[in-house]
């Protein structure tokens, strides 16, 4: 069965601290896709990144970086030098390769990040 | 370009009434998804459309819920005989490709907040 676990419900940091959001997934598929979304207080989900299961290369985008480890079924997200504008709920999600499911996303419960000035 | 739009943004209805929620996907996106987000919770999948067919309706909570899509355009989610437990934010998303595509990152609309009194 597919499942995404974000064990950290809430994280609070002070501005400029680095913070890592954990994501662990379960799937029986050999081909799958992982995502991170940001949901700021305004409510609209914002796509951050997609990672394919066959591409384990880590990625950096500005202050954001992602560490994909197939061996531990984890896809962690690090924000370097956090800012107040990073305050949001962050969701990790999984999509499998079942044709009939399309790109249906299985979401984790989300991690609420609060960055204080 | 224009993103995913949803209407209405807010809907308050009395228990037992029917409601219709509308989603306009990004132009050219073949896949469309509906999700539900209850207060303080993660997102749960409702239904997936590829074109105007719905290969996966597995997430619809009951037969009071139905959805349709016109071609590769507008979709409507209908809830009949609404119940208080239907209160949630209903989110629509679209993606360029579906099951057979790597381009499966989903772009979300702002949601419709449904309150059943």
């Amino acid at each position: 069965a597919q499942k995404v676990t974000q064990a950290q419900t809430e994280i609070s940091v002070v501005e400029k601290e680095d913070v890592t959001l954990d994501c662990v997934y379960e799937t029986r598929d050999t081909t799958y896709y992982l995502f991170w979304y940001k949901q700021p207080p305004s409510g609209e989900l914002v796509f951050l990144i997609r990672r394919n299961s066959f591409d384990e290369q880590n990625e950096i985008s500005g202050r954001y970086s992602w560490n994909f480890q197939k061996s531990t079924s984890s896809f962690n997200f690090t924000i370097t030098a956090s800012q107040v504008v990073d305050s949001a709920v962050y969701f990790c999600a999984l999509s499998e390769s079942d044709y009939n499911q399309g790109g249906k996303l299985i979401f984790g419960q989300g991690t609420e990040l609060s960055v204080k000035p | 370009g224009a993103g995913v739009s949803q209407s209405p943004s807010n809907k308050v209805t009395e228990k037992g009434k029917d409601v219709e929620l509308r989603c306009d996907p990004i132009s050219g996106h073949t896949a469309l998804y509906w999700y539900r987000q209850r207060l303080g919770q993660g997102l749960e999948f409702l239904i997936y459309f590829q074109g105007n067919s719905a290969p996966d309706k597995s997430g619809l909570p009951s037969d009071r819920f139905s959805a349709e899509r016109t071609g590769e355009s507008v979709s409507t989610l209908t809830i009949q005989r609404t119940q208080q437990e239907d209160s949630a934010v209903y989110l629509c998303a679209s993606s360029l490709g579906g099951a057979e595509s790597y381009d499966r990152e989903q772009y979300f609309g702002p949601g419709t907040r449904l309150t059943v009194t």
Side-chain angles (χ1 to χ4, degrees):
Chain A
Q2 68 268 76
K3 186 179 178 182
V4 176
T5 301
Q6 295 179 254
Q8 304 148 310
T9 306
E10 295 178 18
I11 300 177
S12 183
V13 299
V14 177
E15 212 170 15
K16 298 184 184 175
E17 281 186 34
D18 298 348
V19 57
T20 295
L21 310 181
D22 297 334
C23 173
V24 174
Y25 62 91
E26 294 176 31
T27 178
R28 292 181 183 157
D29 274 10
T30 53
T31 300
Y32 52 89
Y33 306 82
L34 297 164
F35 303 81
W36 277 95
Y37 282 85
K38 174 181 180 179
Q39 188 173 41
S42 61
E44 195 156 341
L45 276 154
V46 177
F47 166 73
L48 296 178
I49 189 171
R50 165 175 55 88
R51 175 58 70 221
N52 307 332
S53 58
F54 43 84
D55 179 6
E56 286 194 71
Q57 194 170 13
N58 290 326
E59 183 153 340
I60 298 174
S61 176
R63 296 185 297 107
Y64 294 172
S65 61
W66 291 269
N67 183 357
F68 177 30
Q69 298 269 357
K70 268 178 112 166
S71 59
T72 56
S73 298
S74 65
F75 185 43
N76 296 338
F77 173 29
T78 297
I79 302 174
T80 303
S82 59
Q83 299 177 1
V84 172
V85 293
D86 296 327
S87 296
V89 179
Y90 290 86
F91 290 97
C92 180
L94 164 71
S95 171
E96 294 183 323
S97 56
D98 182 319
Y99 178 81
N100 286 326
Q101 292 186 359
K104 162 187 170 181
L105 292 173
I106 306 299
F107 284 89
Q109 286 299 101
T111 297
E112 183 171 4
L113 174 65
S114 177
V115 182
K116 301 192 186 308
Chain B
V4 177
S5 61
Q6 293 186 244
S7 61
S9 54
N10 277 287
K11 177 72 177 178
V12 181
T13 190
E14 291 179 356
K15 178 181 170 181
K17 295 280 178 70
D18 298 351
V19 296
E20 207 171 82
L21 312 180
R22 176 187 168 109
C23 171
D24 277 275
I26 293 172
S27 177
H29 280 195
T30 62
L32 185 147
Y33 305 81
W34 284 96
Y35 296 87
R36 178 169 73 175
Q37 186 174 28
R38 290 188 166 129
L39 186 64
Q41 298 190 20
L43 287 88
E44 53 177 319
F45 167 80
L46 297 178
I47 188 168
Y48 153 61
F49 286 93
Q50 184 63 47
N52 62 4
S53 67
D56 191 350
K57 305 179 183 179
S58 63
L60 293 178
S62 74
D63 59 8
R64 295 187 296 104
F65 287 71
S66 63
E68 60 181 31
R69 187 181 184 193
T70 306
E72 293 188 349
S73 183
V74 171
S75 174
T76 55
L77 176 69
T78 301
I79 309 173
Q80 294 178 310
R81 305 181 303 283
T82 51
Q83 303 294 313
Q84 287 187 329
E85 63 262 27
D86 299 334
S87 295
V89 177
Y90 289 82
L91 292 159
C92 176
S94 68
S95 64
L96 189 59
E100 295 179 342
S101 172
Y102 299 152
D103 293 321
R104 53 171 63 197
E105 48 268 30
Q106 295 176 26
Y107 295 89
F108 283 79
T112 294
R113 182 176 299 277
L114 175 65
T115 304
V116 182
T117 61

